[in-house]
Amino acid sequence: MNAVAPLLVIVDAANVVGSVPDGWWRDRRGAAERLRDRLAADGLPGHEGPVELVLVVEGAARGVESVPEVRVEAARGSGDDRMVELVAGAVGRDVLVITADRELRRRVTELGADVAGPRTVRG
């Protein structure tokens, strides 16, 4: 779509963190912070070129701060709804949403986004 703007990558924090049963439920905020830090260090593995990384958090993970490499968006309500809003607002940009949530995948692809599963950023 747009060769000037970097690829917008929107990461469903709850879905990605929840994809591995590593005890994340004991510290949801800490798990989201670890994901943010991994994204900041690794970017989007396998992607050449610049990306804009947005991590959408909800519930107990609200309060996770942004870092220079990753903007954190705290959903006021549903994280899925916030991600759909971000995709809808990215008119003319290439967007990739990282999630395994089927309904969210349907909603964002209807708006023109591409989707990939949690393994894309979990390694």
Side-chain angles (χ1 to χ4, degrees), residues 72-88:
V72 178
E73 288 274 337
R76 292 184 182 174
S78 161
D80 289 4
D81 289 346
R82 182 64 187 132
M83 285 179 272
V84 169
E85 290 170 359
L86 290 168
V87 171

Side-chain angles (χ1 to χ4, degrees), residues 25-108:
W25 52 88
R26 291 188 291 270
D27 182 11
R28 293 169 194 254
R29 183 174 175 169
E33 288 171 339
R34 288 188 296 279
L35 175 58
R36 177 206 58 204
D37 295 345
R38 184 179 315 118
L39 292 168
D42 298 342
L44 181 62
H47 178 75
E48 297 293 325
V51 296
E52 178 184 350
L53 289 165
V54 178
L55 181 67
V56 177
V57 297
E58 62 188 351
R62 283 189 197 105
V64 171
E65 298 290 327
S66 294
V67 295
E69 302 84 1
V70 180
R71 185 174 91 230
V72 178
E73 288 274 337
R76 292 184 182 174
S78 161
D80 289 4
D81 289 346
R82 182 64 187 132
M83 285 179 272
V84 169
E85 290 170 359
L86 290 168
V87 171
V91 177
R93 288 191 67 183
D94 291 330
V95 180
L96 175 65
V97 176
I98 308 295
T99 187
D101 181 301
R102 285 185 186 175
E103 177 60 15
L104 177 57
R105 283 174 166 262
R106 183 193 63 75
R107 292 173 69 190
V108 298

